[in-house]
Amino acid sequence: LGGQKTLADAVSDKMKTCGMTCLGLLVLISFGMQCCIYNMIALRFVEVHHKWAAEMTLDPSTALNYYTEKHRDHRFCDRQIESFGLTAEAAGKWFKEKGWRDLKFKSRAAEGVMQIDITAYYFAAGPDSPTVVLQHGNNCNNRDNTVITAAFFLHSMGFNVIAPNLRNHGDSGKTGRITWGQEEAYDTLGAWDYVVTDPEGKIGFAQRPEKTALMGFSMGGLISRVAFALEPRIPALFTDSAHWNARNVLEWSINQEYPGLGRFFLPSAWFWAEHITGHDLDRLIPEKLFQRVGDRRLLANIHATNDDIVPIQQSQDFIAYIKDTDFRVLQEWYEKLYGDDCEIHCRVHLQYPEKYKFFLCSFFSEVFDRTPEACGFGEGTSTLRFPTGIESTRRLTGEMIQQTSNGSLQRLVPAASTPSHVGARLREA
């Protein structure tokens, strides 16, 4: 062959070249895949935006009427506007008459967390009344319909209310990233601290810690769960459509957009989310923070069973965990809401405003040792309770009370299908 390559040598060289080419293609494909996961999943998971937020020009007296105006792009459907319209109008009048205070304070100091300015609304009922801290959800603010509705219901029933804006939300300070409770929990705790110390005298009294509870919506529910676990003096926590585990919600969200790929994309998406935020996003999570033994504080939970943003599985995981602890779940409410063109997430208060108000009254009256009559529901309601359990609670809220034509509540005789323990409670009432 006179020094020429053999056929075997030529084939070997060709295979090496092909192998390098294939390896290069694999590297390019992997790099492209990571870029897509970074930009389309991880970055969106922790990004700060205002697409869902109420306009900052609104205030407690105008927010709900703005939401219920038709042709406003806030995902209210006509049926929700119809069922909620009177509540929105009443809230606007209430806050216009009663007013509110604008507060600013620092988030609670914590190692590795930037202390930042937090703004809040404060609705005063007086020093003899207990206080509830209301925490809004992801990428909205304290003008959101969830917060303003709960503030109206609670304030009109005689509770003090403080509604803080989380960092990167509303007009609170900015860091440019959502950390799913790793930083934001200290914003909620900053509001709680401010209420129980009144350092500037703007509230007029320092509330007792055992008289200051938490309530959170969606991601604000997760943040409130973390804050609740970090501060053992908080007596009770009420959550609505809340996350229990952000990692599982991210996997579920990936599957919604890329069916069947959640388990494959999740490790990379979680890695990039932690890289962007600079936090171990699994460090402060309820499963790690909630003690199984010795903590007998009070809990309540609401979730739509057909929630399409935070799946009902999150509340099922919450129930499965809590049932093996000493925490006391006083009330649960799980309801399938109408779908079609109606937004479902955090919308129980829109479809059943009076029942929602009664639910708040019943839970916080138990927490703070008040009678439901103090909420203004009239005599004969002190023994009414919402039992735990998805089916029994759904039936109870559907059969025990209903909104009458004049907007008040009436108790109903239980139907034959009502579970026996529910019927017993009704007979006691």
Side-chain angles (χ1 to χ4, degrees):
L1 295 175
Q4 296 181 2
K5 289 184 178 181
T6 64
L7 178 60
D9 290 335
V11 171
S12 177
D13 289 345
K14 193 70 174 178
M15 290 179 66
K16 289 178 181 178
T17 302
C18 182
M20 292 299 294
T21 302
C22 291
L23 180 61
L25 285 173
L26 287 174
V27 170
L28 285 174
I29 291 171
S30 177
F31 179 77
M33 183 68 71
Q34 291 301 314
C35 285
C36 288
I37 292 174
Y38 179 95
N39 287 289
M40 299 177 67
I41 300 175
L43 195 59
R44 287 164 57 182
F45 184 61
V46 299
E47 75 170 327
V48 175
H49 64 76
H50 306 289
K51 292 179 287 188
W52 306 329
E55 294 182 7
M56 293 300 293
T57 55
L58 300 175
D59 61 43
S61 69
T62 59
L64 294 186
N65 283 325
Y66 174 84
Y67 272 106
T68 55
E69 287 181 21
K70 294 184 180 181
H71 312 300
R72 296 289 191 182
D73 185 22
H74 284 288
R75 298 167 293 173
F76 275 39
C77 64
D78 288 343
R79 282 184 290 179
Q80 289 172 339
I81 292 172
E82 182 180 354
S83 62
F84 189 69
L86 291 176
T87 300
E89 183 178 350
K93 293 179 180 178
W94 177 269
F95 288 129
K96 187 175 181 179
E97 176 186 348
K98 302 296 182 180
W100 61 90
R101 301 173 195 173
D102 295 305
L103 301 177
K104 180 180 285 189
F105 44 83
K106 292 290 187 181
S107 58
R108 179 183 283 192
E111 184 178 354
V113 177
M114 181 186 299
Q115 196 170 19
I116 205 161
D117 288 333
I118 301 299
T119 60
Y121 288 135
Y122 184 79
F123 307 95
D128 295 328
S129 299
T131 302
V132 179
V133 181
L134 296 182
Q135 192 56 74
H136 66 73
N138 186 20
N139 283 314
C140 52
N141 55 49
N142 64 356
R143 296 152 176 82
D144 191 73
N145 69 89
T146 52
V147 173
I148 297 300
T149 300
F152 167 55
F153 287 158
L154 288 168
H155 192 228
S156 65
M157 293 188 295
F159 296 89
N160 299 296
V161 177
I162 186 170
N165 283 308
L166 295 170
R167 62 186 63 203
N168 302 303
H169 297 75
D171 45 8
S172 286
K174 312 301 179 189
T175 64
R177 61 184 182 270
I178 304 294
T179 68
W180 291 88
Q182 309 306 308
E183 295 179 355
E184 295 87 356
Y186 298 101
D187 305 339
T188 304
L189 289 172
W192 191 86
D193 292 341
Y194 193 86
V195 167
V196 301
T197 59
D198 192 24
E200 301 169 307
K202 292 185 176 180
I203 294 177
F205 66 98
Q207 182 63 277
R208 287 181 293 163
E210 66 273 18
K211 290 292 186 180
T212 310
L214 295 185
M215 178 177 179
F217 303 89
S218 192
M219 185 186 77
L222 172 66
I223 291 165
S224 295
R225 282 170 171 163
V226 173
F228 180 72
L230 292 174
E231 178 48 80
R233 293 178 295 166
I234 299 172
L237 170 64
F238 184 120
T239 46
D240 183 338
S241 311
H243 301 73
W244 175 251
N245 183 295
R247 181 193 284 263
N248 292 345
V249 173
L250 178 57
E251 181 178 0
W252 179 85
S253 299
I254 296 170
N255 281 323
Q256 296 301 107
E257 195 159 351
Y258 310 102
L261 296 179
R263 60 181 295 192
F264 301 106
F265 288 174
L266 178 64
S268 292
W270 197 254
F271 168 83
W272 288 120
E274 292 187 325
H275 174 76
I276 296 166
T277 62
H279 283 282
D280 173 3
L281 298 181
D282 284 320
R283 188 175 72 88
L284 297 180
I285 58 174
E287 296 102 311
K288 291 182 178 180
L289 299 175
F290 275 44
Q291 298 181 16
R292 290 189 176 272
V293 179
D295 196 332
R296 294 183 54 78
R297 290 181 292 169
L298 307 179
L299 303 172
N301 192 51
I302 287 178
H303 211 131
T305 58
N306 55 335
D307 194 320
D308 55 352
I309 302 296
V310 178
I312 188 62
Q313 182 64 45
Q314 291 290 291
S315 278
Q316 292 170 339
D317 292 344
F318 158 77
I319 296 165
Y321 182 91
I322 292 299
K323 70 180 179 63
D324 293 326
T325 71
D326 289 338
F327 288 100
R328 291 176 289 166
V329 181
L330 292 186
Q331 296 177 190
E332 297 169 271
W333 181 6
Y334 306 101
E335 185 90 30
K336 183 176 181 179
L337 303 184
Y338 33 58
D340 302 328
D341 60 334
C342 297
E343 180 78 10
I344 299 168
H345 181 55
C346 283
R347 293 295 189 261
V348 174
H349 65 286
L350 298 182
Q351 188 165 332
Y352 302 107
E354 284 295 323
K355 293 178 184 178
Y356 195 95
K357 182 179 180 180
F358 182 80
F359 193 97
L360 287 171
C361 169
S362 180
F363 176 68
F364 286 116
S365 294
E366 185 80 12
V367 169
F368 297 123
D369 195 26
R370 303 167 90 233
T371 64
E373 286 85 352
C375 298
F377 282 103
E379 297 181 1
T381 57
S382 59
T383 57
L384 300 186
R385 294 291 183 271
F386 289 75
T388 60
I390 289 178
E391 280 304 311
S392 61
T393 304
R394 189 192 66 77
R395 291 196 188 109
L396 180 62
T397 55
E399 296 169 2
M400 177 176 162
I401 57 174
Q402 73 175 12
Q403 187 172 357
T404 61
S405 58
N406 65 4
S408 63
L409 291 177
Q410 69 174 16
R411 287 174 292 156
L412 304 179
V413 176
S417 60
T418 304
S420 58
H421 70 284
V422 175
R425 290 176 184 267
L426 287 165
R427 285 192 293 274
E428 291 172 5

